[in-house]
Amino acid sequence: MESSLDSAGNLPTLHKPPWIKAPLSTGTGYARVRSLVDRNRLHTVCQSAKCPNIASCWSNGTGTFLILGSVCTRSCRFCAVEKGHPNKPDPDESSRVAHAVNSLGLNYAVITSVTRDDLPDGGASVFAETIRAIRTVRPDCRIELLIPDLAGSMQALDIVLNAGPDVLNHNVETVPHLYPLIRPSADWNRSLAILRHAARKGFLTKSGFMMGLGESRRELTAALTQIAAAGVHILTIGQYLAPTREHHPVERYVPPEEFEDLRAEAQSLGFRFVIAGPLVRSSFKAEEAWRECLTESPA
Ligand code: SF4
């Protein structure tokens, strides 16, 4: 796809269109989550990734907890998470997350992490530990795990799956031809293999990607077809927003009607639940998607 570079060879900074409006972070619900996160020394991807939905989610008392620290071993060009050499996993982190989930009275908790290529199992055992810690204090809480690719280790993935997540989520983030530029340490087929393995083991699986990074419509159709063929049930499609000027620039702001068009195409490919829109993120309406899939799941 041709892009109109400026004289210095950079993409011009696009102005945000009217449909990219994130609500302000105020209200008692927001303040409650904020103080709980601070008091328990927790990380959330809501904050680390500068999610535009933080206000509405936290006001509703939900959030996505980031485990395994806040420093990632990879450097995806779209991501605001800090990059570098992470500290050793904190042994108390799982119980603090469980305490926060219980204090918030969550019925549906989303847990994600940075990528830890420095750990032999990529952090899989910490994901499993976190599920067990939450289930100990809140047995009926449903748990969605948004995992990194665990360097493609099916052994590590089985450690996670054996802990029994209700939804196994892994984002493909963008189309294959943009991987070298946008997420250089990742691999399209490796990500599909993670999703396929979980789906074949009977888990509700979920994935997602962003638009506005330079992908073509044809590439999106090919990506949807491959993700559906991997057995994925739930799909999220959102607009890429550059966290800073140092990150990959937004190539294009996709109008809402195009999201709707793509949502319809994805639905026709057999996904059980598709949520698409400019401000949609992986955990947006996560509980609703899970509930919807339950009512739809084959007998
Ligand atoms: S692997 Fe995940 S957390 Fe790390 S830089 Fe990439 S998107 Fe961000």
Side-chain angles (χ1 to χ4, degrees):
M1 168 184 253
E2 277 309 306
S3 54
S4 53
L5 304 179
D6 66 13
S7 56
N10 300 321
L11 277 168
T13 303
L14 301 177
H15 296 290
K16 282 189 181 155
W19 59 79
I20 304 279
K21 282 257 173 308
L24 291 176
S25 311
T26 56
T28 50
Y30 177 88
R32 183 164 163 257
V33 175
R34 179 74 205 240
S35 76
L36 197 83
V37 166
D38 294 348
R39 265 185 294 118
N40 288 282
R41 293 176 289 114
L42 293 172
H43 304 289
T44 67
V45 80
C46 322
Q47 296 160 302
S48 299
K50 299 185 188 334
C51 179
N53 300 312
I54 189 169
S56 57
C57 292
W58 285 23
S59 303
N60 296 329
T62 66
T64 299
F65 297 99
L66 188 67
I67 60 172
L68 291 157
S70 61
V71 178
C72 185
T73 52
R74 296 191 182 171
S75 53
C76 303
R77 295 277 292 117
F78 63 85
C79 179
V81 169
E82 190 186 340
K83 313 333 191 243
H85 302 287
N87 296 330
K88 279 204 180 70
D90 171 351
D92 302 331
E93 185 184 61
S94 325
S95 56
R96 292 204 310 276
V97 169
H99 171 70
V101 167
N102 201 26
S103 308
L104 285 169
L106 293 183
N107 298 319
Y108 194 94
V110 183
I111 310 294
T112 189
S113 85
V114 294
T115 296
R116 295 294 304 253
D117 293 318
D118 60 316
L119 300 175
D121 70 354
S125 49
V126 176
F127 270 104
E129 212 178 288
T130 305
I131 287 190
R132 287 190 289 270
I134 294 171
R135 293 242 162 93
T136 304
V137 294
R138 206 164 174 79
D140 299 332
C141 182
R142 300 293 171 171
I143 301 172
E144 173 176 322
L145 298 184
L146 171 52
I147 63 166
D149 67 17
L150 303 172
S153 161
M154 294 308 151
Q155 209 182 346
L157 179 56
D158 284 340
I159 293 171
V160 173
L161 296 176
N162 292 343
D166 295 280
V167 175
L168 191 286
N169 188 357
H170 172 67
N171 284 329
V172 294
E173 306 289 8
T174 184
V175 296
H177 115 263
L178 289 175
Y179 269 48
L181 177 64
I182 300 293
R183 46 186 332 227
S185 310
D187 178 275
W188 173 261
N189 293 318
R190 183 197 300 156
S191 285
L192 286 185
I194 292 278
L195 293 161
R196 192 178 300 114
H197 183 85
R200 282 192 181 147
K201 287 207 158 188
F203 287 86
L204 263 183
T205 51
K206 177 176 176 178
S207 190
F209 57 83
M210 300 163 281
M211 295 212 278
L213 283 159
E215 68 291 332
S216 72
R217 189 71 179 75
R218 191 182 305 170
E219 286 174 320
L220 289 170
T221 295
L224 285 178
T225 308
Q226 291 181 46
I227 301 168
V232 172
H233 307 96
I234 305 168
L235 188 70
T236 61
I237 308 171
Q239 164 75 51
Y240 168 58
L241 297 175
T244 70
R245 284 174 175 273
E246 273 63 56
H247 288 86
H248 187 79
V250 174
E251 171 98 22
R252 165 175 96 95
Y253 286 106
V254 181
E257 50 277 12
E258 255 186 75
F259 280 100
E260 181 44 34
D261 181 40
L262 205 66
R263 189 200 63 73
E265 182 181 338
Q267 205 86 58
S268 72
L269 287 167
F271 291 99
R272 288 197 205 156
F273 190 90
V274 183
I275 182 161
L279 293 183
V280 167
R281 293 293 176 269
S282 309
S283 313
F284 194 58
K285 296 195 176 175
E287 183 174 359
E288 188 185 327
W290 166 76
R291 215 168 278 292
E292 188 76 25
C293 286
L294 281 195
T295 51
E296 278 208 26
S297 59

